[in-house]
Amino acid sequence: MHLSTDQCDISCVCDPFWMAESRTTQRPILRYNPATLRSRTRLASIRIMEFTATKLPGAFLVSLHKIEDHRGFFARGWCHHEFAAHGLTTNMVQLNVGFSHEKGTVRGLHYQMPPHEEAKFVRCTRGAIFDVIVDLRPNSPTRGQWVGAELTAENGVMLYAPEGFAHGYQTMADDTEMYYLTSAFYAADAARGVRYDDPAFGISWPLPVSVVSDADARWPDYAVD
């Protein structure tokens, strides 16, 4: 059975140049469908992800554009083309997962020195976090300023920080899990951090800090020029 773009499953809508062929004795097979090569203008108008600029240049909140039906929803959580269109880093090379048992846990804030600077794209997949980024770029007009956003499994909001930012978060629920993509591989010799309570930044965490690692508690005061 051949399915048109209008008839096929939501995965075909999001990848409209392919179609599904279903047989009773085989798994569904994706086949190229020339009939779906419709107006590229129409396809370009479909919203895949929603970007909202923060006060820190180059940093964005990114929301899922959900296509919903009786089963739930489908959405795209990463798109090379969407990021390129917004002038953001597209070369993501690692995906890191963090899990914290206790509400109020703080991790970070971490960054890497050149030439290992990394952009990060963060999402919470279980529970909730207050995600924080600090602009440490030497020539930035917002150097030393920070932005925080609540990312939860329910709201699906994500946070993108470009190279030159420190990143950390506080869990707002027990048993919270998150992940983030990075544009550079982890380099231990280049790894640095700033303290969560450094007076240079004055970060307002939403909860009392219940857990923090010894390493993160020992970062020295940061000198903002």
Side-chain angles (χ1 to χ4, degrees), residues 99-134:
F99 178 84
S100 300
H101 292 291
E102 189 173 331
K103 176 181 178 180
T105 298
V106 167
R107 293 178 182 262
L109 291 75
H110 302 143
Y111 65 99
Q112 293 193 161
M113 296 292 290
H116 303 285
E117 293 173 299
E118 54 187 351
K120 292 184 178 181
F121 186 46
V122 188
R123 186 183 180 196
C124 180
T125 52
R126 179 179 178 183
I129 64 175
F130 183 69
D131 206 45
V132 174
I133 55 175
V134 179

Side-chain angles (χ1 to χ4, degrees), residues 112-199:
Q112 293 193 161
M113 296 292 290
H116 303 285
E117 293 173 299
E118 54 187 351
K120 292 184 178 181
F121 186 46
V122 188
R123 186 183 180 196
C124 180
T125 52
R126 179 179 178 183
I129 64 175
F130 183 69
D131 206 45
V132 174
I133 55 175
V134 179
D135 188 352
L136 300 180
R137 295 171 295 186
N139 299 317
S140 172
T142 54
R143 176 174 166 81
Q145 297 183 30
W146 64 276
V147 160
E150 186 175 337
L151 314 183
T152 74
E154 288 72 28
N155 69 22
V157 175
M158 298 164 282
L159 182 61
Y160 172 85
E163 294 87 344
F165 279 63
H167 167 257
Y169 62 93
Q170 182 178 48
T171 59
M172 300 180 68
D174 291 337
D175 298 328
T176 286
E177 183 178 275
M178 55 78 74
Y179 73 76
Y180 59 94
L181 296 164
T182 66
S183 64
F185 295 105
Y186 175 69
D189 292 342
R192 300 288 189 275
V194 295
R195 209 172 58 252
Y196 70 95
D197 61 351
D198 193 321

Side-chain angles (χ1 to χ4, degrees), residues 3-6 8 12-13 15-19 31-44:
L3 304 176
S4 70
T5 303
D6 295 330
C8 75
C12 298
V13 173
D15 294 298
F17 301 134
W18 296 87
M19 60 172 293
R31 295 191 182 282
Y32 182 66
N33 182 12
T36 63
L37 289 176
R38 300 178 178 178
S39 168
R40 290 184 179 269
T41 301
R42 173 181 175 273
L43 292 173

